[in-house]
Amino acid sequence: MAGIYSVIVYTCFAFSAAASSEAASAQSSWAKLKPQQKIILQPLEQSWDTFEPAQKKKWLRMTKHYLKLTPEEQQRIQSRMREWSALTPEQRNQARKRYKKIEKLPVHKQHQIKQKLSQLNDASKDPAID
């Protein structure tokens, strides 16, 4: 019985330490990021230290899967990071609020909105428009 208790205590400690480590890294300054994280998150460098811990945690989680993505997916993420970094904190808050509203809509409405946004993005990239 003591052996099982030890395993449970050790497991809880290990999970706690892992969670604490992830939380600490989410609160880290840019200077404390790992080199690979800095390379992936480079578009966010200028605004990184202004991000909330939850935002940092989200971006750090993404870096774990980034190298498994196709080059096109990586490029799309890099582009989105550049766009996000260019926003003011107020614009970011507004974007989060809009996203939360959209999440509450029925799935078919979400798809309609995503299609319209995609069309707007495609149109803004069309060189014939410039």
Side-chain angles (χ1 to χ4, degrees), residues 46-57:
Q46 296 301 314
S47 46
W48 181 260
D49 290 334
T50 66
F51 289 171
E52 295 292 324
Q55 294 169 303
K56 291 179 181 181
K57 187 176 179 178

Side-chain angles (χ1 to χ4, degrees), residues 47-108:
S47 46
W48 181 260
D49 290 334
T50 66
F51 289 171
E52 295 292 324
Q55 294 169 303
K56 291 179 181 181
K57 187 176 179 178
K58 173 192 158 265
W59 288 114
L60 290 170
R61 264 196 323 265
M62 182 275 306
T63 63
K64 294 177 184 177
H65 308 288
Y66 183 84
L67 296 176
K68 297 175 188 171
L69 300 174
T70 66
E72 293 81 18
E73 290 169 323
Q74 290 178 357
Q75 186 176 14
R76 183 176 51 85
I77 288 174
Q78 290 287 315
S79 175
R80 296 241 172 108
M81 280 192 275
R82 282 189 292 278
E83 291 169 3
W84 187 256
S85 185
L87 298 176
T88 65
E90 179 57 33
Q91 289 171 321
R92 290 183 199 137
N93 285 333
Q94 290 173 354
R96 281 188 209 96
K97 287 177 186 176
R98 281 192 300 269
Y99 179 78
K100 287 178 183 177
K101 276 185 177 179
I102 292 170
E103 269 189 324
K104 293 177 183 178
L105 295 173
V107 175
H108 73 279

Side-chain angles (χ1 to χ4, degrees), residues 7 9 16 20 23-25 28-30 33 46-47 52 60 69 72 80 102 107 113 115 120 126:
V7 169
V9 169
S16 174
S20 174
S25 66
S28 293
S29 67
W30 180 262
L33 295 180
Q46 296 301 314
S47 46
E52 295 292 324
L60 290 170
L69 300 174
E72 293 81 18
R80 296 241 172 108
I102 292 170
V107 175
I113 291 170
Q115 282 181 322
L120 286 173
D126 187 352

Side-chain angles (χ1 to χ4, degrees), residues 9-27:
V9 169
Y10 175 76
T11 304
C12 289
F13 177 75
F15 283 127
S16 174
S20 174
S21 172
E22 187 172 313
S25 66
Q27 295 177 13

